[in-house]
Amino acid sequence: MIKRCTLRDHDGWLPLRAALWPDSAADSDPDKHTILSEPERYLVLTFTNKDGKALGFAEASIRADYVNGTNSSPVAFLEGLYVQPANRGQGIARQLVVGVQRWAEEMGCAELASDALLDNQASHAMHKALGFVETERVVYFLKALGG
Ligand SMILES: CC(C)(COP(=O)(O)OP(=O)(O)OC[C@H]1O[C@@H](n2cnc3c(N)ncnc32)[C@H](O)[C@@H]1OP(=O)(O)O)[C@@H](O)C(=O)NCCC(=O)NCCS
């Protein structure tokens, strides 16, 4: 079952989030309040089994700044997608992305964008299987200032 997380009910989301992004805390994540307090801007979905256990999640946002490869603005952006290793290959990510897509359409967006690290071949294959088309490959750079 796909469930939208709210401030009152987000069971299982934060531990999954910490599994995808280890730098984010599993319990007292400050992002939690920001994300769940702005339902017009952010979406958090979990996939739960029949016992109510969260097995995967998706996060999406509405981005009004320029997003590489897009042709419209604002666009919806798939910020994160994760399924527990033991539950992969069962169509859970597919269902989560369908949920994100529905929300994006309800929010009036004409495009859903996403990204993946260059070496995450599984994610590239999944995006293609789910109907995404590759647009650009980007390398980020950084220069420390003030030293
Ligand atoms: C990528 C990930 C979310 C896929 O979740 P999943 O629930 O196993 O994916 P699904 O079973 O819904 O598969 C959806 C489609 O993608 C394809 N796919 C999924 N994982 C794949 C893989 N490792 N290699 C090739 N294709 C894959 C499936 O074949 C399926 O297509 P199909 O329906 O035409 O067969 C999951 O492996 C994961 O959490 N990985 C670690 C985190 C990550 O990389 N997230 C993406 C960051 S951008």
Side-chain angles (χ1 to χ4, degrees), residues 56-128:
F57 82 99
E59 284 182 25
S61 71
I62 303 295
R63 290 200 188 180
D65 51 338
Y66 174 68
V67 176
N68 293 69
T70 60
N71 301 298
S72 61
S73 182
V75 295
F77 198 90
L78 184 61
E79 303 285 353
L81 181 63
Y82 178 81
V83 175
Q84 281 191 345
N87 303 103
R88 291 179 187 166
Q90 300 166 23
I92 293 177
R94 180 179 282 281
Q95 292 184 61
L96 286 164
V97 172
V98 167
V100 169
Q101 196 168 325
R102 285 204 184 115
W103 174 74
E105 286 167 353
E106 282 165 22
M107 298 303 290
C109 295
E111 294 175 302
L112 173 61
S114 181
D115 61 7
L117 292 177
L118 288 175
D119 61 357
N120 192 345
Q121 299 293 337
S123 176
H124 299 183
M126 182 210 65
H127 277 87
K128 284 173 190 157

Coordinates of all heavy atoms in Angstrom, one line a residue, residues 56-128:
G56 N 9.7 0.8 1.7 CA 10.4 1.7 0.8 C 9.8 3.1 0.9 O 8.7 3.3 1.4
F57 N 10.5 4.1 0.3 CA 9.9 5.4 0.3 C 10.3 6.2 -0.9 O 11.3 5.9 -1.6 CB 10.3 6.2 1.6 CG 11.7 6.8 1.5 CD1 11.8 8.2 1.2 CD2 12.8 6.1 1.7 CE1 13.1 8.8 1.1 CE2 14.1 6.6 1.6 CZ 14.2 8.0 1.3
A58 N 9.6 7.3 -1.2 CA 9.9 8.2 -2.3 C 9.7 9.6 -1.7 O 8.7 9.8 -1.0 CB 9.1 8.0 -3.5
E59 N 10.6 10.5 -2.1 CA 10.4 11.9 -1.8 C 10.5 12.7 -3.1 O 11.3 12.4 -3.9 CB 11.6 12.4 -0.8 CG 11.4 12.0 0.6 CD 12.5 12.6 1.5 OE1 13.1 13.6 1.2 OE2 12.8 11.9 2.5
A60 N 9.6 13.7 -3.1 CA 9.6 14.5 -4.3 C 9.4 16.0 -3.9 O 8.9 16.2 -2.8 CB 8.5 14.1 -5.3
S61 N 9.7 16.9 -4.8 CA 9.5 18.3 -4.5 C 9.1 19.0 -5.8 O 9.2 18.5 -6.9 CB 10.8 19.0 -4.0 OG 11.7 19.1 -5.0
I62 N 8.5 20.2 -5.6 CA 8.3 21.1 -6.7 C 9.4 22.0 -6.8 O 9.8 22.7 -5.8 CB 7.0 21.9 -6.5 CG1 5.8 20.9 -6.3 CG2 6.7 22.8 -7.7 CD1 5.4 20.0 -7.5
R63 N 10.1 22.0 -7.9 CA 11.3 22.9 -8.1 C 11.0 24.0 -9.1 O 10.6 23.7 -10.2 CB 12.5 22.1 -8.6 CG 13.1 21.2 -7.5 CD 14.5 20.9 -7.9 NE 15.1 19.8 -7.1 CZ 16.3 19.4 -7.3 NH1 17.1 19.8 -8.2 NH2 16.8 18.4 -6.5
A64 N 11.1 25.3 -8.6 CA 10.9 26.4 -9.5 C 12.1 27.0 -10.1 O 12.1 27.8 -11.0 CB 10.2 27.5 -8.7
D65 N 13.3 26.6 -9.6 CA 14.6 27.0 -10.2 C 14.9 26.1 -11.4 O 14.2 25.1 -11.6 CB 15.7 26.9 -9.2 CG 15.8 25.5 -8.5 OD1 14.7 24.8 -8.5 OD2 16.8 25.1 -8.0
Y66 N 15.9 26.5 -12.2 CA 16.1 25.7 -13.4 C 16.6 24.3 -13.0 O 17.4 24.1 -12.2 CB 17.2 26.4 -14.3 CG 17.6 25.5 -15.4 CD1 16.7 25.3 -16.5 CD2 18.8 24.8 -15.5 CE1 17.0 24.5 -17.5 CE2 19.1 24.0 -16.6 CZ 18.2 23.8 -17.6 OH 18.5 23.0 -18.6
V67 N 16.0 23.3 -13.7 CA 16.3 21.9 -13.5 C 16.9 21.4 -14.8 O 16.2 21.5 -15.9 CB 15.1 21.1 -13.0 CG1 15.5 19.6 -12.9 CG2 14.6 21.6 -11.7
N68 N 18.1 20.9 -14.8 CA 18.8 20.4 -16.0 C 17.9 19.5 -16.8 O 17.3 18.6 -16.3 CB 20.1 19.6 -15.6 CG 21.1 20.5 -15.0 OD1 20.9 21.0 -13.9 ND2 22.2 20.8 -15.8
G69 N 17.8 19.7 -18.1 CA 17.2 18.8 -19.0 C 15.7 19.0 -19.1 O 15.0 18.4 -20.0
T70 N 15.1 20.0 -18.4 CA 13.6 20.1 -18.4 C 13.3 21.2 -19.4 O 14.1 22.1 -19.8 CB 13.1 20.5 -17.1 OG1 13.7 21.7 -16.6 CG2 13.4 19.4 -16.0
N71 N 12.0 21.2 -19.8 CA 11.5 22.2 -20.8 C 10.4 23.1 -20.2 O 9.8 23.8 -20.9 CB 10.9 21.5 -22.0 CG 12.0 20.6 -22.7 OD1 13.0 21.1 -23.1 ND2 11.7 19.3 -22.6
S72 N 10.1 22.9 -18.9 CA 9.0 23.7 -18.3 C 9.4 24.1 -16.9 O 10.4 23.6 -16.4 CB 7.7 22.9 -18.3 OG 7.9 21.7 -17.5
S73 N 8.6 24.9 -16.3 CA 8.9 25.3 -14.9 C 7.6 25.8 -14.3 O 6.8 26.5 -15.0 CB 9.9 26.4 -14.8 OG 10.2 26.7 -13.5
P74 N 7.3 25.4 -13.0 CA 8.0 24.5 -12.2 C 7.9 23.1 -12.6 O 6.9 22.7 -13.3 CB 7.4 24.7 -10.8 CG 6.0 25.2 -11.1 CD 6.1 25.9 -12.4
V75 N 8.8 22.2 -12.2 CA 8.7 20.8 -12.5 C 8.7 20.1 -11.1 O 9.1 20.6 -10.1 CB 9.9 20.3 -13.3 CG1 9.9 20.9 -14.7 CG2 11.2 20.5 -12.6
A76 N 8.2 18.8 -11.2 CA 8.3 18.0 -10.0 C 9.7 17.3 -10.1 O 10.1 16.9 -11.2 CB 7.2 17.0 -10.0
F77 N 10.3 17.0 -9.0 CA 11.6 16.4 -9.0 C 11.6 15.2 -8.0 O 11.2 15.3 -6.8 CB 12.7 17.4 -8.6 CG 14.1 16.9 -8.9 CD1 14.6 17.2 -10.2 CD2 14.8 16.1 -8.1 CE1 15.9 16.8 -10.6 CE2 16.1 15.7 -8.4 CZ 16.6 16.0 -9.7
L78 N 12.0 14.0 -8.5 CA 12.1 12.9 -7.6 C 13.4 13.0 -6.8 O 14.5 12.7 -7.3 CB 12.1 11.6 -8.5 CG 12.1 10.3 -7.8 CD1 10.9 10.1 -6.9 CD2 12.2 9.1 -8.8
E79 N 13.3 13.4 -5.6 CA 14.5 13.7 -4.7 C 15.1 12.4 -4.2 O 16.3 12.4 -4.0 CB 14.1 14.6 -3.6 CG 13.4 15.9 -4.0 CD 14.4 16.9 -4.5 OE1 15.6 16.6 -4.5 OE2 13.9 18.0 -5.0
G80 N 14.3 11.4 -3.9 CA 14.9 10.2 -3.3 C 14.0 9.0 -3.5 O 12.7 9.2 -3.5
L81 N 14.5 7.9 -3.7 CA 13.7 6.7 -3.9 C 14.5 5.5 -3.3 O 15.7 5.3 -3.6 CB 13.5 6.4 -5.4 CG 12.7 5.3 -5.8 CD1 11.2 5.4 -5.3 CD2 12.6 5.2 -7.4
Y82 N 13.9 4.7 -2.4 CA 14.7 3.6 -1.8 C 13.7 2.5 -1.4 O 12.6 2.7 -0.9 CB 15.3 4.2 -0.5 CG 16.1 3.1 0.3 CD1 17.4 2.7 -0.1 CD2 15.5 2.5 1.4 CE1 18.1 1.7 0.6 CE2 16.2 1.5 2.1 CZ 17.5 1.1 1.7 OH 18.2 0.1 2.4
V83 N 14.2 1.3 -1.7 CA 13.5 0.1 -1.3 C 14.4 -0.8 -0.5 O 15.6 -1.0 -1.0 CB 12.9 -0.6 -2.5 CG1 12.2 -1.9 -2.1 CG2 11.9 0.3 -3.3
Q84 N 14.0 -1.3 0.6 CA 14.9 -2.2 1.4 C 15.4 -3.3 0.5 O 14.6 -3.9 -0.3 CB 14.1 -2.8 2.5 CG 13.9 -1.9 3.7 CD 13.3 -2.6 4.9 OE1 12.8 -3.7 4.8 NE2 13.4 -1.9 6.0
P85 N 16.7 -3.7 0.7 CA 17.3 -4.7 -0.2 C 16.5 -6.0 -0.3 O 16.3 -6.5 -1.4 CB 18.6 -5.0 0.5 CG 19.0 -3.7 1.1 CD 17.7 -3.1 1.6
A86 N 15.9 -6.5 0.8 CA 15.2 -7.7 0.8 C 13.9 -7.7 0.0 O 13.3 -8.7 -0.4 CB 14.8 -8.2 2.2
N87 N 13.4 -6.5 -0.3 CA 12.1 -6.3 -1.0 C 12.2 -5.7 -2.4 O 11.2 -5.3 -3.0 CB 11.2 -5.4 -0.1 CG 11.1 -5.9 1.3 OD1 11.7 -5.4 2.2 ND2 10.3 -7.0 1.4
R88 N 13.4 -5.7 -2.9 CA 13.6 -5.2 -4.3 C 13.1 -6.2 -5.3 O 13.0 -7.4 -5.1 CB 15.1 -4.8 -4.5 CG 15.5 -3.6 -3.6 CD 16.9 -3.2 -3.8 NE 17.2 -2.2 -2.8 CZ 18.4 -1.8 -2.4 NH1 19.5 -2.3 -3.0 NH2 18.5 -0.8 -1.5
G89 N 12.9 -5.7 -6.5 CA 12.5 -6.5 -7.6 C 11.1 -7.0 -7.6 O 10.7 -7.9 -8.3
Q90 N 10.2 -6.3 -6.8 CA 8.8 -6.7 -6.7 C 7.9 -5.6 -7.1 O 6.7 -5.6 -6.8 CB 8.5 -7.0 -5.2 CG 9.3 -8.2 -4.6 CD 9.2 -8.2 -3.1 OE1 8.3 -7.7 -2.5 NE2 10.2 -8.8 -2.5
G91 N 8.4 -4.6 -7.8 CA 7.6 -3.5 -8.3 C 7.3 -2.4 -7.3 O 6.4 -1.6 -7.5
I92 N 8.0 -2.4 -6.2 CA 7.7 -1.3 -5.1 C 8.1 0.1 -5.6 O 7.3 1.0 -5.5 CB 8.3 -1.7 -3.8 CG1 7.7 -3.0 -3.2 CG2 8.2 -0.5 -2.8 CD1 8.3 -3.5 -2.0
A93 N 9.3 0.2 -6.2 CA 9.7 1.5 -6.7 C 8.7 2.0 -7.8 O 8.4 3.1 -7.9 CB 11.1 1.4 -7.2
R94 N 8.3 1.0 -8.6 CA 7.4 1.4 -9.7 C 6.1 2.0 -9.1 O 5.6 3.1 -9.5 CB 7.0 0.2 -10.5 CG 6.1 0.4 -11.7 CD 5.8 -0.8 -12.5 NE 6.9 -1.2 -13.4 CZ 7.0 -0.6 -14.6 NH1 6.2 0.4 -15.0 NH2 8.0 -1.0 -15.4
Q95 N 5.6 1.4 -8.1 CA 4.3 1.9 -7.5 C 4.6 3.3 -6.8 O 3.7 4.2 -6.9 CB 3.8 0.9 -6.4 CG 3.3 -0.4 -7.0 CD 2.7 -1.3 -6.0 OE1 1.7 -0.9 -5.3 NE2 3.2 -2.4 -5.8
L96 N 5.7 3.4 -6.2 CA 6.0 4.7 -5.5 C 6.1 5.8 -6.6 O 5.6 6.9 -6.4 CB 7.3 4.6 -4.7 CG 7.2 3.8 -3.4 CD1 8.6 3.4 -2.9 CD2 6.5 4.6 -2.3
V97 N 6.8 5.5 -7.7 CA 6.9 6.5 -8.7 C 5.6 6.9 -9.4 O 5.3 8.0 -9.7 CB 8.0 6.1 -9.8 CG1 8.0 7.0 -11.0 CG2 9.4 6.0 -9.1
V98 N 4.7 5.9 -9.5 CA 3.3 6.2 -10.0 C 2.7 7.2 -9.1 O 2.0 8.1 -9.5 CB 2.5 4.9 -10.2 CG1 1.0 5.2 -10.3 CG2 3.0 4.1 -11.3
G99 N 2.8 7.0 -7.8 CA 2.3 7.9 -6.8 C 2.8 9.3 -6.9 O 2.1 10.3 -6.8
V100 N 4.1 9.4 -7.1 CA 4.8 10.7 -7.2 C 4.3 11.3 -8.5 O 4.0 12.5 -8.5 CB 6.3 10.5 -7.3 CG1 7.0 11.8 -7.8 CG2 6.9 10.1 -6.0
Q101 N 4.1 10.6 -9.6 CA 3.7 11.1 -10.8 C 2.3 11.7 -10.7 O 2.0 12.8 -11.2 CB 3.7 10.0 -11.9 CG 3.6 10.5 -13.3 CD 3.9 9.3 -14.3 OE1 4.8 8.5 -14.0 NE2 3.2 9.3 -15.4
R102 N 1.4 11.0 -10.0 CA 0.0 11.4 -9.8 C 0.0 12.8 -9.1 O -0.7 13.7 -9.4 CB -0.8 10.4 -9.0 CG -1.2 9.2 -9.8 CD -2.4 8.6 -9.1 NE -2.7 7.4 -9.9 CZ -2.6 6.1 -9.4 NH1 -2.3 5.9 -8.2 NH2 -2.8 5.1 -10.2
W103 N 0.8 12.9 -8.0 CA 0.9 14.1 -7.3 C 1.4 15.2 -8.1 O 0.9 16.3 -8.1 CB 1.8 13.9 -6.1 CG 2.1 15.1 -5.3 CD1 1.3 15.8 -4.4 CD2 3.4 15.9 -5.2 NE1 1.9 16.9 -3.8 CE2 3.2 17.0 -4.3 CE3 4.6 15.7 -5.9 CZ2 4.2 17.9 -4.1 CZ3 5.6 16.7 -5.6 CH2 5.4 17.7 -4.7
A104 N 2.4 15.0 -8.9 CA 3.0 16.0 -9.8 C 2.0 16.5 -10.8 O 1.9 17.7 -11.0 CB 4.2 15.4 -10.6
E105 N 1.2 15.6 -11.3 CA 0.1 16.0 -12.2 C -0.9 16.9 -11.5 O -1.4 17.9 -12.0 CB -0.5 14.8 -12.9 CG 0.5 14.2 -14.0 CD 0.1 12.8 -14.5 OE1 -0.9 12.2 -13.9 OE2 0.7 12.3 -15.4
E106 N -1.3 16.4 -10.3 CA -2.3 17.2 -9.5 C -1.7 18.6 -9.2 O -2.5 19.5 -9.1 CB -2.6 16.5 -8.2 CG -3.5 15.3 -8.3 CD -3.5 14.4 -7.1 OE1 -3.1 14.9 -6.0 OE2 -3.8 13.3 -7.2
M107 N -0.4 18.7 -9.1 CA 0.2 20.0 -8.8 C 0.3 20.8 -10.0 O 0.9 21.9 -9.9 CB 1.5 19.8 -8.1 CG 1.5 19.1 -6.7 SD 0.4 19.8 -5.5 CE 1.3 21.3 -5.1
G108 N -0.1 20.3 -11.1 CA 0.0 21.1 -12.4 C 1.3 21.0 -13.1 O 1.5 21.8 -14.1
C109 N 2.1 20.1 -12.8 CA 3.4 20.0 -13.5 C 3.3 19.2 -14.8 O 2.5 18.2 -14.8 CB 4.5 19.3 -12.6 SG 4.9 20.3 -11.1
A110 N 4.1 19.6 -15.8 CA 4.0 18.9 -17.0 C 5.2 17.9 -17.1 O 5.2 17.1 -18.0 CB 4.1 19.9 -18.2
E111 N 6.2 18.0 -16.2 CA 7.3 17.1 -16.3 C 7.7 16.7 -14.8 O 7.6 17.4 -13.9 CB 8.5 17.9 -16.9 CG 8.3 18.2 -18.4 CD 9.4 19.0 -19.0 OE1 9.7 20.1 -18.4 OE2 10.0 18.6 -20.0
L112 N 8.2 15.5 -14.8 CA 8.8 14.9 -13.6 C 10.3 14.6 -13.9 O 10.6 13.8 -14.8 CB 8.1 13.6 -13.2 CG 8.7 12.8 -12.0 CD1 8.7 13.6 -10.7 CD2 7.9 11.5 -11.8
A113 N 11.2 15.3 -13.2 CA 12.6 15.1 -13.4 C 13.2 14.3 -12.3 O 12.6 14.1 -11.2 CB 13.3 16.4 -13.6
S114 N 14.4 13.8 -12.5 CA 15.1 13.0 -11.5 C 16.6 13.0 -11.8 O 17.0 13.5 -12.8 CB 14.6 11.6 -11.5 OG 15.2 10.8 -10.5
D115 N 17.4 12.5 -10.9 CA 18.8 12.3 -11.2 C 19.4 11.0 -10.5 O 18.7 10.4 -9.7 CB 19.6 13.5 -10.7 CG 19.5 13.8 -9.2 OD1 19.0 13.0 -8.5 OD2 20.0 14.9 -8.8
A116 N 20.6 10.7 -10.9 CA 21.2 9.5 -10.3 C 22.7 9.7 -10.4 O 23.2 10.3 -11.4 CB 20.8 8.2 -11.0
L117 N 23.5 9.1 -9.5 CA 24.9 9.2 -9.6 C 25.3 8.5 -10.9 O 24.7 7.5 -11.4 CB 25.6 8.6 -8.4 CG 25.4 9.4 -7.1 CD1 26.0 8.6 -5.9 CD2 26.0 10.8 -7.2
L118 N 26.5 9.0 -11.5 CA 26.9 8.4 -12.8 C 27.2 6.9 -12.7 O 26.9 6.2 -13.6 CB 28.2 9.1 -13.2 CG 28.1 10.5 -13.6 CD1 29.5 11.1 -13.9 CD2 27.2 10.6 -14.9
D119 N 27.6 6.4 -11.5 CA 27.9 5.0 -11.4 C 26.7 4.1 -10.9 O 26.9 2.9 -10.7 CB 29.2 4.7 -10.6 CG 28.9 5.2 -9.1 OD1 27.9 5.8 -8.8 OD2 29.9 5.1 -8.3
N120 N 25.6 4.7 -10.7 CA 24.4 3.9 -10.2 C 23.6 3.3 -11.4 O 22.6 3.8 -11.7 CB 23.5 4.8 -9.3 CG 22.5 4.0 -8.5 OD1 22.3 2.8 -8.8 ND2 21.9 4.6 -7.5
Q121 N 24.2 2.3 -11.9 CA 23.7 1.7 -13.1 C 22.3 1.1 -12.9 O 21.4 1.1 -13.7 CB 24.6 0.5 -13.6 CG 26.0 1.0 -14.0 CD 26.0 1.9 -15.3 OE1 25.0 1.9 -16.1 NE2 27.0 2.7 -15.4
A122 N 22.0 0.6 -11.6 CA 20.7 0.0 -11.3 C 19.7 1.1 -11.4 O 18.6 0.9 -11.9 CB 20.8 -0.6 -9.9
S123 N 20.0 2.3 -10.9 CA 19.1 3.4 -10.9 C 18.8 3.9 -12.3 O 17.7 4.2 -12.7 CB 19.6 4.5 -10.0 OG 18.8 5.6 -10.1
H124 N 19.9 3.9 -13.1 CA 19.7 4.3 -14.6 C 18.7 3.3 -15.2 O 17.8 3.7 -15.9 CB 21.0 4.3 -15.3 CG 22.1 5.2 -14.8 ND1 23.3 5.4 -15.4 CD2 22.1 6.0 -13.7 CE1 24.0 6.2 -14.7 NE2 23.3 6.6 -13.7
A125 N 18.9 2.0 -15.0 CA 18.1 1.0 -15.6 C 16.6 1.2 -15.1 O 15.7 1.1 -15.9 CB 18.6 -0.4 -15.3
M126 N 16.5 1.4 -13.8 CA 15.2 1.5 -13.3 C 14.5 2.8 -13.9 O 13.3 2.7 -14.2 CB 15.2 1.7 -11.7 CG 13.9 1.8 -11.1 SD 13.9 2.7 -9.6 CE 14.4 4.4 -10.2
H127 N 15.2 3.9 -13.9 CA 14.5 5.1 -14.5 C 14.1 4.8 -15.9 O 12.9 5.2 -16.3 CB 15.5 6.3 -14.5 CG 15.6 7.0 -13.2 ND1 16.5 6.6 -12.2 CD2 15.0 8.1 -12.7 CE1 16.3 7.4 -11.1 NE2 15.4 8.3 -11.4
K128 N 14.9 4.2 -16.7 CA 14.5 3.9 -18.1 C 13.3 3.0 -18.1 O 12.3 3.2 -18.9 CB 15.6 3.3 -18.9 CG 16.6 4.4 -19.3 CD 17.9 3.9 -19.9 CE 18.9 5.1 -20.0 NZ 20.3 4.7 -20.1

